Coordinates of all heavy atoms in Angstrom, one line a residue:
V1 N 3.9 -12.2 11.0 CA 4.6 -11.0 10.7 C 5.6 -11.2 9.6 O 6.4 -12.2 9.7 CB 5.3 -10.4 11.9 CG1 6.0 -9.1 11.6 CG2 4.3 -10.2 13.0
A2 N 5.6 -10.4 8.6 CA 6.5 -10.7 7.4 C 7.4 -9.5 7.3 O 7.1 -8.4 7.7 CB 5.7 -10.9 6.2
S3 N 8.5 -9.7 6.6 CA 9.4 -8.6 6.2 C 9.8 -8.9 4.7 O 9.5 -10.0 4.2 CB 10.6 -8.6 7.1 OG 11.4 -9.8 7.0
A4 N 10.4 -7.9 4.1 CA 10.8 -8.1 2.7 C 12.3 -7.8 2.6 O 12.9 -7.1 3.4 CB 10.0 -7.1 1.9
A5 N 12.9 -8.3 1.5 CA 14.3 -8.2 1.3 C 14.7 -6.7 1.1 O 15.9 -6.4 1.3 CB 14.7 -9.0 0.0
F6 N 13.8 -5.9 0.6 CA 14.1 -4.5 0.4 C 14.2 -3.7 1.7 O 14.7 -2.5 1.7 CB 13.1 -3.8 -0.6 CG 11.7 -3.7 0.0 CD1 11.4 -2.7 0.8 CD2 10.8 -4.6 -0.4 CE1 10.1 -2.6 1.3 CE2 9.5 -4.6 0.0 CZ 9.1 -3.6 0.9
E7 N 13.8 -4.2 2.8 CA 13.8 -3.5 4.1 C 15.3 -3.4 4.6 O 16.0 -4.4 4.5 CB 13.0 -4.2 5.1 CG 11.5 -4.1 4.8 CD 10.7 -4.8 5.8 OE1 11.0 -6.0 6.2 OE2 9.7 -4.3 6.3
P8 N 15.7 -2.2 5.0 CA 17.1 -2.1 5.5 C 17.3 -2.8 6.8 O 16.4 -3.0 7.6 CB 17.3 -0.5 5.6 CG 15.9 -0.1 5.8 CD 15.0 -1.0 5.1
E9 N 18.6 -3.1 7.1 CA 18.9 -3.6 8.4 C 18.8 -2.6 9.4 O 19.0 -1.4 9.2 CB 20.4 -4.1 8.3 CG 20.7 -5.3 7.5 CD 20.0 -6.6 8.0 OE1 19.9 -6.7 9.3 OE2 19.5 -7.4 7.2
R10 N 18.3 -3.0 10.6 CA 18.0 -2.0 11.6 C 19.2 -2.0 12.6 O 19.1 -2.5 13.7 CB 16.7 -2.4 12.3 CG 15.6 -2.3 11.3 CD 14.3 -2.1 12.0 NE 14.5 -1.1 13.0 CZ 13.6 -0.9 14.0 NH1 12.6 -1.6 14.1 NH2 13.9 -0.1 15.0
F11 N 20.3 -1.4 12.3 CA 21.5 -1.4 13.2 C 21.5 0.0 13.8 O 21.6 1.0 13.2 CB 22.7 -1.6 12.3 CG 24.0 -1.6 13.2 CD1 24.3 -2.6 14.0 CD2 24.8 -0.4 13.1 CE1 25.4 -2.5 14.8 CE2 25.9 -0.3 13.9 CZ 26.3 -1.4 14.7
A12 N 21.5 -0.1 15.2 CA 21.6 1.2 16.0 C 20.6 2.2 15.6 O 20.9 3.4 15.5 CB 23.1 1.7 15.9
V13 N 19.4 1.7 15.4 CA 18.3 2.7 15.0 C 17.2 2.6 16.1 O 16.8 1.5 16.5 CB 17.7 2.3 13.6 CG1 16.5 3.1 13.3 CG2 18.7 2.4 12.5
G14 N 16.8 3.7 16.5 CA 15.7 3.7 17.5 C 14.3 3.8 16.8 O 14.2 4.2 15.7
G15 N 13.3 3.4 17.5 CA 12.0 3.5 16.9 C 11.7 2.3 16.0 O 12.4 1.4 15.9
R16 N 10.6 2.5 15.3 CA 10.2 1.4 14.4 C 10.7 1.5 13.0 O 10.5 0.6 12.2 CB 8.7 1.3 14.4 CG 8.0 2.5 13.8 CD 6.5 2.4 13.9 NE 5.9 3.6 13.3 CZ 4.8 4.1 13.7 NH1 4.1 3.4 14.6 NH2 4.3 5.2 13.2
G17 N 11.4 2.6 12.7 CA 11.9 2.7 11.3 C 10.8 3.1 10.3 O 9.7 3.5 10.7
E18 N 11.2 3.1 9.1 CA 10.3 3.5 8.0 C 9.1 2.5 7.9 O 9.3 1.3 7.9 CB 11.0 3.6 6.7 CG 10.1 4.0 5.5 CD 10.9 3.9 4.2 OE1 11.9 3.3 4.1 OE2 10.3 4.5 3.2
R19 N 7.9 3.0 7.8 CA 6.7 2.2 7.6 C 6.3 2.3 6.1 O 6.0 3.3 5.6 CB 5.6 2.6 8.5 CG 5.9 2.5 9.9 CD 4.8 2.9 10.8 NE 3.7 2.0 10.6 CZ 2.4 2.4 10.6 NH1 2.1 3.6 10.7 NH2 1.5 1.5 10.4
R20 N 6.3 1.1 5.4 CA 6.0 1.1 4.0 C 5.7 -0.3 3.5 O 6.2 -1.3 4.1 CB 7.3 1.6 3.3 CG 7.2 1.6 1.8 CD 8.4 2.1 1.2 NE 9.3 1.0 0.7 CZ 10.3 1.1 0.0 NH1 10.7 2.3 -0.4 NH2 11.0 0.0 -0.4
M21 N 4.8 -0.3 2.5 CA 4.6 -1.6 1.9 C 4.6 -1.3 0.4 O 4.5 -0.2 0.0 CB 3.3 -2.3 2.3 CG 2.0 -1.6 1.9 SD 0.6 -2.5 2.5 CE 0.5 -3.8 1.3
E22 N 4.8 -2.3 -0.5 CA 4.9 -2.2 -1.9 C 3.8 -3.1 -2.6 O 3.7 -4.2 -2.2 CB 6.3 -2.5 -2.4 CG 7.3 -1.5 -1.9 CD 8.7 -1.9 -2.4 OE1 8.9 -2.9 -3.1 OE2 9.6 -1.1 -2.1
F23 N 3.2 -2.5 -3.6 CA 2.4 -3.3 -4.5 C 3.2 -3.6 -5.7 O 3.8 -2.7 -6.3 CB 1.1 -2.5 -4.9 CG 0.2 -2.3 -3.8 CD1 0.3 -1.2 -2.9 CD2 -0.8 -3.2 -3.5 CE1 -0.6 -1.0 -1.9 CE2 -1.7 -3.0 -2.4 CZ -1.6 -1.9 -1.6
R24 N 3.4 -4.9 -6.0 CA 4.3 -5.3 -7.1 C 3.6 -6.1 -8.2 O 2.5 -6.5 -8.0 CB 5.4 -6.2 -6.6 CG 6.3 -5.4 -5.6 CD 7.4 -6.2 -5.0 NE 8.4 -5.4 -4.4 CZ 9.7 -5.3 -4.7 NH1 10.1 -6.0 -5.6 NH2 10.5 -4.5 -4.0
S25 N 4.3 -6.3 -9.3 CA 3.8 -7.0 -10.5 C 2.5 -6.3 -11.0 O 1.5 -7.0 -11.3 CB 3.6 -8.5 -10.2 OG 4.8 -9.1 -9.8
L26 N 2.5 -5.0 -11.1 CA 1.4 -4.3 -11.6 C 1.4 -4.1 -13.1 O 2.5 -4.1 -13.7 CB 1.4 -2.9 -10.9 CG 1.2 -2.9 -9.4 CD1 1.5 -1.5 -8.8 CD2 -0.1 -3.3 -9.0
P27 N 0.2 -3.9 -13.7 CA 0.2 -3.5 -15.1 C 0.8 -2.2 -15.3 O 1.0 -1.4 -14.3 CB -1.3 -3.5 -15.4 CG -2.0 -3.8 -14.2 CD -1.1 -4.0 -13.1
Q28 N 1.2 -1.9 -16.5 CA 1.9 -0.6 -16.8 C 1.2 0.6 -16.3 O 1.7 1.6 -15.9 CB 2.3 -0.5 -18.3 CG 3.2 0.7 -18.6 CD 3.7 0.6 -20.0 OE1 3.3 -0.2 -20.8 NE2 4.6 1.5 -20.3
S29 N -0.1 0.6 -16.4 CA -1.0 1.7 -16.0 C -2.1 1.2 -15.2 O -2.9 0.3 -15.7 CB -1.5 2.5 -17.2 OG -2.3 3.6 -16.8
C30 N -2.3 1.6 -13.9 CA -3.4 1.1 -13.1 C -3.6 2.1 -11.9 O -2.8 2.9 -11.7 CB -3.1 -0.3 -12.6 SG -1.7 -0.4 -11.4
V31 N -4.7 1.9 -11.3 CA -5.1 2.6 -10.1 C -5.3 1.6 -9.0 O -6.0 0.6 -9.2 CB -6.3 3.5 -10.3 CG1 -6.8 4.2 -9.1 CG2 -6.1 4.5 -11.4
I32 N -4.7 1.9 -7.8 CA -4.9 1.0 -6.6 C -5.7 1.8 -5.6 O -5.3 2.9 -5.2 CB -3.6 0.6 -6.0 CG1 -2.7 -0.1 -7.1 CG2 -3.8 -0.3 -4.8 CD1 -1.2 -0.1 -6.7
R33 N -6.8 1.2 -5.2 CA -7.6 1.9 -4.2 C -7.6 0.9 -2.9 O -7.8 -0.3 -3.1 CB -9.1 2.1 -4.7 CG -9.2 3.1 -5.7 CD -10.6 3.4 -6.2 NE -10.6 4.4 -7.2 CZ -10.5 4.1 -8.5 NH1 -10.3 2.9 -8.9 NH2 -10.5 5.1 -9.4
I34 N -7.4 1.6 -1.8 CA -7.3 0.8 -0.5 C -8.5 1.2 0.4 O -8.7 2.4 0.6 CB -5.9 1.1 0.2 CG1 -4.8 0.7 -0.8 CG2 -5.8 0.3 1.5 CD1 -3.5 1.3 -0.4
Y35 N -9.2 0.2 0.9 CA -10.4 0.5 1.7 C -10.2 -0.2 3.0 O -9.5 -1.2 3.2 CB -11.6 -0.1 1.0 CG -11.9 0.4 -0.3 CD1 -11.4 -0.2 -1.5 CD2 -12.7 1.5 -0.5 CE1 -11.7 0.3 -2.7 CE2 -13.0 2.0 -1.7 CZ -12.5 1.4 -2.9 OH -12.8 1.9 -4.1
N36 N -10.9 0.3 4.1 CA -10.9 -0.4 5.3 C -12.1 -1.4 5.3 O -12.8 -1.4 4.3 CB -11.0 0.6 6.5 CG -12.3 1.4 6.5 OD1 -13.3 1.1 5.9 ND2 -12.2 2.6 7.2
V37 N -12.3 -2.2 6.3 CA -13.3 -3.2 6.2 C -14.7 -2.6 6.3 O -15.7 -3.3 6.0 CB -13.2 -4.3 7.4 CG1 -11.9 -5.1 7.1 CG2 -13.1 -3.6 8.7
R38 N -14.9 -1.3 6.6 CA -16.2 -0.7 6.6 C -16.5 -0.2 5.1 O -17.6 0.4 4.9 CB -16.2 0.5 7.6 CG -16.1 0.0 9.0 CD -16.1 1.1 10.0 NE -17.2 1.9 9.9 CZ -17.5 3.0 10.6 NH1 -16.6 3.4 11.5 NH2 -18.5 3.7 10.4
G39 N -15.5 -0.3 4.2 CA -15.8 0.1 2.8 C -15.4 1.6 2.6 O -15.6 2.1 1.5
E40 N -14.7 2.2 3.5 CA -14.3 3.6 3.4 C -13.0 3.7 2.7 O -12.1 2.9 3.0 CB -14.2 4.3 4.8 CG -15.5 4.3 5.5 CD -15.3 4.6 7.0 OE1 -14.2 4.3 7.6 OE2 -16.2 5.1 7.6
L41 N -12.9 4.6 1.7 CA -11.7 4.7 0.9 C -10.6 5.3 1.8 O -10.7 6.3 2.4 CB -11.9 5.6 -0.3 CG -10.7 5.9 -1.2 CD1 -10.2 4.6 -1.8 CD2 -11.0 7.0 -2.2
V42 N -9.4 4.6 1.9 CA -8.3 5.0 2.8 C -7.3 5.8 1.9 O -6.8 6.8 2.3 CB -7.7 3.8 3.4 CG1 -6.4 4.2 4.2 CG2 -8.7 3.1 4.4
Q43 N -7.0 5.2 0.8 CA -5.9 5.9 -0.1 C -6.1 5.4 -1.5 O -6.6 4.3 -1.8 CB -4.5 5.4 0.4 CG -3.4 6.1 -0.3 CD -3.3 7.6 -0.2 OE1 -3.9 8.3 -1.0 NE2 -2.5 8.1 0.8
T44 N -5.7 6.3 -2.4 CA -5.7 5.9 -3.9 C -4.2 6.1 -4.4 O -3.6 7.2 -4.1 CB -6.6 6.9 -4.7 OG1 -7.9 6.7 -4.2 CG2 -6.6 6.5 -6.1
L45 N -3.7 5.1 -5.0 CA -2.3 5.1 -5.6 C -2.4 4.9 -7.1 O -3.3 4.1 -7.5 CB -1.5 4.0 -4.9 CG -1.4 4.0 -3.4 CD1 -0.7 2.7 -3.0 CD2 -0.7 5.2 -2.9
R46 N -1.6 5.6 -7.8 CA -1.6 5.5 -9.3 C -0.2 5.0 -9.7 O 0.8 5.4 -9.3 CB -1.9 6.8 -9.9 CG -3.3 7.3 -9.5 CD -3.7 8.6 -10.2 NE -4.9 9.1 -9.7 CZ -6.1 8.7 -9.8 NH1 -6.3 7.6 -10.6 NH2 -7.2 9.2 -9.3
H47 N -0.3 4.1 -10.7 CA 1.0 3.5 -11.3 C 1.0 4.0 -12.8 O 0.0 3.7 -13.5 CB 1.0 2.0 -11.2 CG 2.2 1.4 -11.8 ND1 2.2 0.8 -13.0 CD2 3.5 1.4 -11.4 CE1 3.4 0.4 -13.3 NE2 4.2 0.8 -12.3
D48 N 2.0 4.7 -13.2 CA 2.1 5.2 -14.5 C 3.2 4.5 -15.3 O 3.6 5.0 -16.4 CB 2.3 6.7 -14.5 CG 3.6 7.1 -13.8 OD1 4.4 6.3 -13.4 OD2 3.8 8.3 -13.7
G49 N 3.7 3.4 -14.9 CA 4.7 2.6 -15.6 C 6.1 3.0 -15.4 O 7.0 2.5 -16.0
T50 N 6.4 4.0 -14.5 CA 7.8 4.5 -14.3 C 8.6 3.7 -13.2 O 9.7 4.0 -13.0 CB 7.8 6.0 -14.0 OG1 7.0 6.2 -12.8 CG2 7.2 6.8 -15.1
K51 N 7.9 2.9 -12.5 CA 8.6 2.2 -11.3 C 8.7 0.7 -11.5 O 8.7 0.0 -10.5 CB 7.9 2.6 -10.0 CG 8.0 4.1 -9.7 CD 7.3 4.4 -8.4 CE 7.5 5.9 -8.2 NZ 6.4 6.4 -7.4
N52 N 8.9 0.2 -12.7 CA 9.1 -1.2 -12.9 C 8.0 -2.1 -12.3 O 8.3 -3.1 -11.7 CB 10.5 -1.6 -12.3 CG 11.6 -0.9 -13.0 OD1 11.5 -0.6 -14.2 ND2 12.7 -0.6 -12.3
G53 N 6.8 -1.7 -12.4 CA 5.7 -2.5 -12.0 C 5.5 -2.5 -10.5 O 4.9 -3.4 -9.9
M54 N 6.0 -1.5 -9.8 CA 5.9 -1.4 -8.3 C 5.4 0.0 -7.9 O 5.8 1.0 -8.5 CB 7.3 -1.7 -7.7 CG 7.3 -1.7 -6.2 SD 7.7 -0.1 -5.4 CE 9.3 0.3 -6.0
V55 N 4.6 0.0 -6.9 CA 4.1 1.3 -6.3 C 4.3 1.2 -4.8 O 3.7 0.3 -4.2 CB 2.7 1.6 -6.6 CG1 2.2 2.8 -5.8 CG2 2.5 1.9 -8.1
P56 N 5.1 2.0 -4.1 CA 5.2 2.0 -2.7 C 4.0 2.8 -2.0 O 3.5 3.7 -2.6 CB 6.5 2.7 -2.4 CG 6.7 3.7 -3.6 CD 6.0 3.0 -4.7
W57 N 3.7 2.4 -0.8 CA 2.7 3.1 0.0 C 3.3 3.3 1.3 O 3.8 2.4 2.0 CB 1.4 2.3 0.1 CG 0.3 2.9 0.9 CD1 0.0 4.2 0.9 CD2 -0.6 2.3 1.8 NE1 -1.0 4.5 1.8 CE2 -1.4 3.3 2.3 CE3 -0.8 1.0 2.1 CZ2 -2.5 3.0 3.2 CZ3 -1.8 0.7 3.0 CH2 -2.7 1.7 3.5
D58 N 3.3 4.6 1.8 CA 3.8 4.9 3.1 C 2.9 4.7 4.3 O 3.2 5.2 5.4 CB 4.3 6.4 3.1 CG 3.1 7.4 2.8 OD1 2.0 6.9 2.7 OD2 3.4 8.6 2.7
L59 N 1.9 3.9 4.1 CA 0.9 3.6 5.1 C 0.2 4.8 5.8 O 0.0 4.8 7.0 CB 1.5 2.7 6.2 CG 2.1 1.4 5.7 CD1 2.7 0.6 6.9 CD2 1.1 0.5 5.0
R60 N 0.0 5.8 4.9 CA -0.7 7.0 5.4 C -2.0 7.1 4.6 O -2.1 6.7 3.4 CB 0.2 8.2 5.2 CG 1.4 8.1 6.1 CD 2.2 9.3 6.2 NE 1.6 10.4 6.9 CZ 1.6 10.6 8.2 NH1 2.0 9.6 9.0 NH2 1.0 11.7 8.8
T61 N -3.0 7.7 5.2 CA -4.3 7.8 4.5 C -4.3 9.0 3.5 O -3.3 9.7 3.5 CB -5.4 8.1 5.6 OG1 -5.2 9.4 6.1 CG2 -5.4 7.1 6.7
K62 N -5.4 9.2 2.8 CA -5.5 10.3 1.9 C -5.5 11.6 2.6 O -5.2 12.7 2.1 CB -6.8 10.1 1.0 CG -8.1 10.0 1.8 CD -9.2 9.8 0.8 CE -10.5 9.4 1.5 NZ -11.1 10.4 2.3
D63 N -5.8 11.6 3.9 CA -5.7 12.8 4.8 C -4.3 12.9 5.5 O -4.2 13.7 6.4 CB -6.8 12.8 5.8 CG -8.2 12.7 5.2 OD1 -8.4 13.5 4.2 OD2 -9.1 12.0 5.7
N64 N -3.4 12.1 5.1 CA -2.0 12.1 5.6 C -1.9 11.8 7.0 O -1.0 12.3 7.8 CB -1.3 13.5 5.3 CG 0.2 13.4 5.3 OD1 0.7 12.3 4.9 ND2 0.9 14.4 5.7
L65 N -2.7 10.8 7.5 CA -2.7 10.3 8.8 C -2.2 8.9 8.8 O -2.3 8.2 7.8 CB -4.1 10.3 9.5 CG -4.8 11.6 9.6 CD1 -6.2 11.5 10.0 CD2 -4.0 12.6 10.5
D66 N -1.5 8.4 9.8 CA -1.1 7.0 9.9 C -2.3 6.1 9.9 O -3.3 6.4 10.6 CB -0.3 6.7 11.2 CG 1.1 7.2 11.2 OD1 1.6 7.5 10.1 OD2 1.7 7.5 12.3
V67 N -2.2 5.0 9.1 CA -3.4 4.1 9.1 C -3.4 3.3 10.5 O -2.4 3.1 11.1 CB -3.3 3.1 8.0 CG1 -3.5 3.8 6.6 CG2 -2.0 2.3 8.0
A68 N -4.6 2.9 10.8 CA -4.7 2.1 12.1 C -4.5 0.6 11.8 O -4.6 0.2 10.7 CB -6.2 2.3 12.6
P69 N -4.1 -0.1 12.8 CA -3.9 -1.6 12.6 C -5.3 -2.2 12.2 O -6.3 -1.7 12.7 CB -3.5 -2.1 14.0 CG -3.1 -0.9 14.8 CD -3.8 0.3 14.2
G70 N -5.3 -3.2 11.4 CA -6.5 -3.8 11.0 C -6.4 -4.4 9.7 O -5.4 -4.5 9.1
L71 N -7.6 -4.9 9.2 CA -7.7 -5.5 7.9 C -8.1 -4.5 6.8 O -8.9 -3.7 7.1 CB -8.7 -6.7 8.0 CG -8.9 -7.5 6.7 CD1 -7.6 -8.3 6.4 CD2 -10.1 -8.5 6.9
Y72 N -7.4 -4.6 5.7 CA -7.7 -3.7 4.6 C -7.9 -4.5 3.3 O -7.3 -5.5 3.1 CB -6.5 -2.7 4.4 CG -6.4 -1.7 5.5 CD1 -5.7 -2.1 6.7 CD2 -7.0 -0.5 5.5 CE1 -5.6 -1.2 7.8 CE2 -6.9 0.4 6.5 CZ -6.2 0.0 7.7 OH -6.2 0.9 8.7
I73 N -8.6 -3.9 2.4 CA -8.9 -4.5 1.1 C -8.3 -3.6 0.0 O -8.5 -2.3 0.1 CB -10.4 -4.6 0.9 CG1 -11.0 -5.7 1.9 CG2 -10.8 -5.1 -0.5 CD1 -11.7 -5.2 3.0
F74 N -7.7 -4.2 -1.0 CA -7.2 -3.3 -2.1 C -7.8 -3.8 -3.4 O -8.2 -4.9 -3.6 CB -5.7 -3.4 -2.2 CG -5.1 -4.7 -2.6 CD1 -4.9 -5.0 -3.9 CD2 -4.7 -5.6 -1.6 CE1 -4.4 -6.3 -4.2 CE2 -4.2 -6.9 -1.9 CZ -4.0 -7.2 -3.3
H75 N -8.0 -2.8 -4.3 CA -8.6 -3.1 -5.6 C -7.7 -2.5 -6.6 O -7.4 -1.3 -6.6 CB -10.0 -2.4 -5.7 CG -10.6 -2.5 -7.0 ND1 -10.7 -1.4 -7.9 CD2 -11.2 -3.5 -7.7 CE1 -11.3 -1.8 -9.0 NE2 -11.6 -3.1 -8.9
V76 N -7.2 -3.3 -7.5 CA -6.3 -2.8 -8.6 C -7.1 -2.8 -9.9 O -7.6 -3.9 -10.3 CB -5.1 -3.7 -8.7 CG1 -4.2 -3.2 -9.9 CG2 -4.3 -3.8 -7.4
D77 N -7.2 -1.6 -10.5 CA -8.0 -1.5 -11.7 C -7.0 -1.2 -12.8 O -6.4 -0.2 -12.9 CB -9.0 -0.3 -11.6 CG -9.8 -0.2 -12.9 OD1 -9.6 -0.9 -13.8 OD2 -10.7 0.7 -12.9
G78 N -6.8 -2.2 -13.7 CA -5.8 -2.2 -14.8 C -6.5 -1.8 -16.1 O -5.9 -2.1 -17.2
G79 N -7.7 -1.3 -16.1 CA -8.4 -0.9 -17.3 C -8.7 -2.1 -18.1 O -9.3 -3.1 -17.6
E80 N -8.3 -2.1 -19.4 CA -8.6 -3.3 -20.3 C -8.0 -4.6 -19.9 O -8.4 -5.7 -20.3 CB -8.1 -2.9 -21.7 CG -8.9 -1.8 -22.4 CD -8.4 -1.5 -23.8 OE1 -7.4 -2.2 -24.2 OE2 -8.9 -0.6 -24.4
L81 N -6.9 -4.5 -19.0 CA -6.2 -5.7 -18.6 C -7.0 -6.4 -17.4 O -6.7 -7.5 -17.0 CB -4.8 -5.4 -18.1 CG -3.9 -4.9 -19.2 CD1 -2.6 -4.5 -18.6 CD2 -3.7 -6.0 -20.2
G82 N -8.0 -5.7 -16.9 CA -8.8 -6.3 -15.9 C -8.6 -5.7 -14.5 O -7.9 -4.7 -14.4
E83 N -9.1 -6.4 -13.5 CA -8.9 -5.9 -12.1 C -8.8 -7.1 -11.2 O -9.0 -8.2 -11.5 CB -10.2 -5.1 -11.7 CG -11.5 -5.8 -11.8 CD -12.6 -4.9 -11.6 OE1 -12.9 -4.0 -12.4 OE2 -13.3 -5.1 -10.6
T84 N -8.3 -6.8 -10.0 CA -8.1 -7.8 -9.0 C -8.4 -7.2 -7.6 O -8.2 -6.0 -7.4 CB -6.7 -8.4 -9.0 OG1 -6.7 -9.5 -8.1 CG2 -5.6 -7.5 -8.6
I85 N -8.8 -8.0 -6.7 CA -9.1 -7.6 -5.3 C -8.4 -8.5 -4.4 O -8.3 -9.7 -4.6 CB -10.6 -7.6 -5.0 CG1 -11.4 -6.6 -6.0 CG2 -10.9 -7.3 -3.6 CD1 -12.9 -6.8 -5.9
G86 N -7.8 -7.9 -3.3 CA -7.1 -8.7 -2.3 C -7.2 -8.0 -1.0 O -7.9 -7.0 -0.8
K87 N -6.6 -8.6 0.0 CA -6.6 -8.1 1.4 C -5.3 -8.2 2.0 O -4.4 -9.1 1.7 CB -7.7 -8.8 2.2 CG -7.5 -10.3 2.4 CD -8.7 -10.9 3.0 CE -8.5 -12.4 3.0 NZ -9.7 -13.1 3.5
F88 N -5.0 -7.4 3.1 CA -3.8 -7.5 3.9 C -4.2 -6.9 5.2 O -5.2 -6.2 5.4 CB -2.7 -6.7 3.2 CG -2.9 -5.2 3.0 CD1 -2.6 -4.3 4.0 CD2 -3.5 -4.8 1.8 CE1 -2.8 -3.0 3.8 CE2 -3.7 -3.4 1.7 CZ -3.4 -2.5 2.6
A89 N -3.3 -7.3 6.2 CA -3.5 -6.8 7.6 C -2.3 -5.9 8.0 O -1.2 -6.2 7.5 CB -3.6 -8.0 8.5
I90 N -2.6 -4.9 8.8 CA -1.5 -4.1 9.3 C -1.5 -4.3 10.8 O -2.6 -4.2 11.5 CB -1.8 -2.6 9.0 CG1 -1.6 -2.4 7.5 CG2 -0.8 -1.7 9.8 CD1 -1.9 -1.0 7.0
I91 N -0.4 -4.7 11.4 CA -0.2 -4.8 12.8 C 0.9 -3.9 13.3 O 1.7 -3.5 12.5 CB 0.1 -6.3 13.2 CG1 1.4 -6.7 12.5 CG2 -1.0 -7.2 12.8 CD1 1.9 -8.1 13.0
K92 N 0.8 -3.5 14.5 CA 1.8 -2.6 15.1 C 2.4 -3.3 16.3 O 1.8 -4.0 17.0 CB 1.2 -1.3 15.5 CG 0.8 -0.5 14.3 CD 0.3 0.9 14.7 CE -0.1 1.7 13.5 NZ -0.5 3.0 13.8

């Protein structure tokens, strides 16, 4: 289980707090597609260069539902700069 420096301290807060992850070090213009292990598209995020190479994701699907725990695959398409594929897990 990992955490990041940008996460706020949880002092006197009930519940699990804000659920979010960030894609960082992105090309100035790119599209991020997130898939479940069955190959179904979960969410599409776009980076237009306005957030310093970072795009946050609120861990909600394209239908605005909470994502389920499990393994996910992401595909970053940077156009002429190329593309990359990776994976991450969500646990609750």
Side-chain angles (χ1 to χ4, degrees):
V1 178
S3 63
F6 64 82
E7 293 179 311
E9 291 292 326
R10 297 203 42 197
F11 178 75
V13 176
R16 63 184 177 209
E18 179 185 17
R19 297 181 66 219
R20 176 179 100 167
M21 68 178 284
E22 295 179 354
F23 292 90
R24 294 179 170 240
S25 300
L26 297 169
Q28 187 169 9
S29 178
C30 66
V31 176
I32 304 162
R33 290 182 181 87
I34 302 165
Y35 300 91
N36 62 22
V37 291
R38 294 175 59 181
E40 300 166 332
L41 181 64
V42 173
Q43 183 62 275
T44 301
L45 306 171
R46 300 185 188 285
H47 181 254
D48 60 6
T50 60
K51 296 183 178 151
N52 299 326
M54 183 272 295
V55 171
W57 180 38
D58 61 2
L59 302 180
R60 298 188 68 81
T61 68
K62 58 186 170 68
D63 299 319
N64 204 30
L65 302 170
D66 284 338
V67 293
L71 185 63
Y72 291 84
I73 293 105
F74 67 90
H75 174 255
V76 180
D77 184 358
E80 293 179 0
L81 296 174
E83 57 187 68
T84 189
I85 297 171
K87 60 187 172 187
F88 61 89
I90 295 179
I91 60 174
K92 292 185 181 181

